Protein backbone atom coordinates (compact mmCIF):
# COMPACT_ATOMS: atom_id res chain seq x y z
CA UNK A 1 0.00 0.00 0.00
CA UNK A 2 2.69 2.47 0.96
CA UNK A 3 5.77 3.09 3.07
CA UNK A 4 5.36 5.22 6.21
CA UNK A 5 8.17 6.70 8.33
CA UNK A 6 7.22 6.98 12.01
CA UNK A 7 9.28 9.56 13.92
CA UNK A 8 8.91 9.54 17.71
CA UNK A 9 11.33 9.31 20.62
CA UNK A 10 8.92 7.00 22.46
CA UNK A 11 9.45 3.35 21.53
CA UNK A 12 6.01 2.53 22.90
CA UNK A 13 4.38 5.12 20.60
CA UNK A 14 6.37 3.94 17.58
CA UNK A 15 5.32 0.34 18.31
CA UNK A 16 1.65 1.36 18.68
CA UNK A 17 1.59 3.31 15.41
CA UNK A 18 3.60 0.63 13.60
CA UNK A 19 1.14 -2.04 14.73
CA UNK A 20 -1.85 -0.03 13.46
CA UNK A 21 -0.19 0.66 10.12
CA UNK A 22 1.12 -2.86 9.55
CA UNK A 23 -2.39 -4.20 10.22
CA UNK A 24 -3.53 -1.86 7.42
CA UNK A 25 -0.83 -3.32 5.11
CA UNK A 26 1.57 -0.38 5.20
CA UNK A 27 5.31 -0.90 5.29
CA UNK A 28 6.83 0.94 8.26
CA UNK A 29 10.20 2.54 8.95
CA UNK A 30 11.03 4.09 12.32
CA UNK A 31 13.23 6.93 13.57
CA UNK A 32 13.83 8.07 17.15
CA UNK A 33 14.08 11.78 16.32
CA UNK A 34 14.14 14.27 13.48
CA UNK A 35 17.87 13.85 12.88
CA UNK A 36 17.54 10.10 12.31
CA UNK A 37 14.43 10.71 10.21
CA UNK A 38 16.37 13.04 7.91
CA UNK A 39 19.10 10.42 7.47
CA UNK A 40 16.44 7.88 6.45
CA UNK A 41 14.71 10.38 4.17
CA UNK A 42 17.98 11.30 2.44
CA UNK A 43 18.67 7.59 1.84
CA UNK A 44 15.16 6.37 0.99
CA UNK A 45 13.11 9.53 0.36
CA UNK A 46 11.99 8.43 -3.08
CA UNK A 47 10.39 5.37 -1.51
CA UNK A 48 8.72 6.98 1.51
CA UNK A 49 5.08 7.88 0.97
CA UNK A 50 4.31 9.66 4.25
CA UNK A 51 5.97 10.83 7.48
CA UNK A 52 4.25 10.64 10.88
CA UNK A 53 6.12 12.81 13.34
CA UNK A 54 5.93 13.83 16.96
CA UNK A 55 6.85 17.44 17.76
CA UNK A 56 8.68 17.19 21.06
CA UNK A 57 11.86 15.16 20.46
CA UNK A 58 15.56 15.53 21.27
CA UNK A 59 18.24 16.48 18.71
CA UNK A 60 15.85 17.73 16.02
CA UNK A 61 12.21 18.34 16.92
CA UNK A 62 9.21 17.83 14.68
CA UNK A 63 8.92 21.50 13.71
CA UNK A 64 12.50 21.57 12.44
CA UNK A 65 12.01 18.24 10.69
CA UNK A 66 8.98 19.56 8.80
CA UNK A 67 10.85 22.75 7.92
CA UNK A 68 13.79 20.78 6.53
CA UNK A 69 11.51 18.43 4.57
CA UNK A 70 9.63 21.36 2.99
CA UNK A 71 12.88 23.16 2.11
CA UNK A 72 14.43 20.15 0.36
CA UNK A 73 13.59 19.87 -3.33
CA UNK A 74 13.59 16.04 -3.28
CA UNK A 75 11.53 15.71 -0.08
CA UNK A 76 9.15 18.68 -0.17
CA UNK A 77 6.18 16.78 -1.60
CA UNK A 78 6.17 13.97 0.99
CA UNK A 79 3.03 14.31 3.13
CA UNK A 80 3.67 14.93 6.83
CA UNK A 81 1.22 14.12 9.61
CA UNK A 82 1.94 15.43 13.10
CA UNK A 83 0.97 13.03 15.90
CA UNK A 84 1.68 14.66 19.26
CA UNK A 85 0.43 15.27 22.79
CA UNK A 86 0.72 19.02 22.22
CA UNK A 87 -2.92 20.13 22.00
CA UNK A 88 -2.51 23.92 22.05
CA UNK A 89 -3.91 25.98 19.15
CA UNK A 90 -0.56 27.76 18.67
CA UNK A 91 1.21 24.40 18.22
CA UNK A 92 -1.37 23.28 15.65
CA UNK A 93 -1.14 26.59 13.81
CA UNK A 94 2.66 26.48 13.75
CA UNK A 95 2.78 22.85 12.57
CA UNK A 96 0.28 23.41 9.78
CA UNK A 97 1.93 26.71 8.76
CA UNK A 98 5.25 24.87 8.36
CA UNK A 99 3.60 22.50 5.93
CA UNK A 100 2.12 19.57 7.86
CA UNK A 101 -0.87 18.01 6.12
CA UNK A 102 -2.69 16.91 9.31
CA UNK A 103 -2.39 17.39 13.06
CA UNK A 104 -3.50 14.52 15.31
CA UNK A 105 -3.43 14.64 19.11
CA UNK A 106 -2.23 11.53 20.98
CA UNK A 107 -3.37 9.00 21.73
CA UNK A 108 -4.11 8.65 18.03
CA UNK A 109 -7.39 7.01 17.18
CA UNK A 110 -6.47 4.13 14.83
CA UNK A 111 -9.28 4.91 12.38
CA UNK A 112 -8.34 8.62 12.24
CA UNK A 113 -4.68 7.75 11.73
CA UNK A 114 -5.45 5.39 8.83
CA UNK A 115 -7.98 7.78 7.26
CA UNK A 116 -5.50 10.68 7.43
CA UNK A 117 -2.85 8.59 5.69
CA UNK A 118 -5.32 7.45 3.03
CA UNK A 119 -6.27 11.08 2.37
CA UNK A 120 -2.70 12.34 1.97
CA UNK A 121 -1.81 9.38 -0.23
CA UNK A 122 -4.81 10.02 -2.45
CA UNK A 123 -6.40 6.64 -1.75
CA UNK A 124 -10.06 7.32 -2.43
CA UNK A 125 -11.40 3.86 -1.63
CA UNK A 126 -14.20 3.87 0.91
CA UNK A 127 -12.92 0.99 3.00
CA UNK A 128 -10.98 1.54 6.19
CA UNK A 129 -8.73 -1.32 7.24
Amino acid sequence: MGKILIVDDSKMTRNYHAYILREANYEVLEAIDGAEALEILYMFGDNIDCVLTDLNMPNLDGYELIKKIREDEKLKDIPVIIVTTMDDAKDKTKGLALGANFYIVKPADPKLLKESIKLVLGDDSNEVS
Side-chain angles (χ1 to χ4, degrees):
M1 266 180 101
K3 189 177 291 188
I4 313 297
L5 175 59
I6 299 170
V7 188
D8 200 301
D9 57 325
S10 165
K11 183 171 180 52
M12 186 173 76
T13 299
R14 288 194 315 272
N15 288 343
Y16 173 65
H17 293 159
Y19 174 78
I20 292 167
L21 298 178
R22 286 186 179 116
E23 287 288 304
N25 297 315
Y26 290 105
E27 188 176 337
V28 174
L29 296 173
E30 298 179 29
I32 61 168
D33 59 28
E36 185 178 29
L38 280 177
E39 289 178 22
I40 292 169
L41 285 164
Y42 291 145
M43 285 190 292
F44 305 110
D46 292 344
N47 296 315
I48 294 175
D49 298 300
C50 182
V51 174
L52 296 184
T53 185
D54 189 13
L55 290 177
N56 190 13
M57 298 177 289
N59 301 321
L60 188 74
D61 68 21
Y63 293 124
E64 283 299 312
L65 174 60
I66 295 167
K67 187 176 175 191
K68 290 185 180 300
I69 289 171
R70 293 300 177 238
E71 290 173 348
D72 188 290
E73 196 59 37
K74 287 187 174 183
L75 305 176
K76 70 179 184 178
D77 294 325
I78 297 174
V80 177
I81 298 173
I82 295 170
V83 185
T84 184
T85 57
M86 298 169 70
D87 194 15
D88 194 292
K90 69 176 174 47
D91 296 312
K92 292 177 186 175
T93 301
K94 182 177 179 181
L96 295 170
L98 285 171
N101 299 78
F102 282 99
Y103 193 107
I104 299 172
V105 177
K106 292 178 188 175
D109 174 80
K111 185 175 181 180
L112 176 61
L113 189 61
K114 291 184 280 188
E115 279 298 314
S116 299
I117 291 169
K118 284 176 68 173
L119 282 169
V120 299
L121 296 183
D123 180 355
D124 58 2
S125 68
N126 292 322
E127 289 184 37
V128 177
S129 303

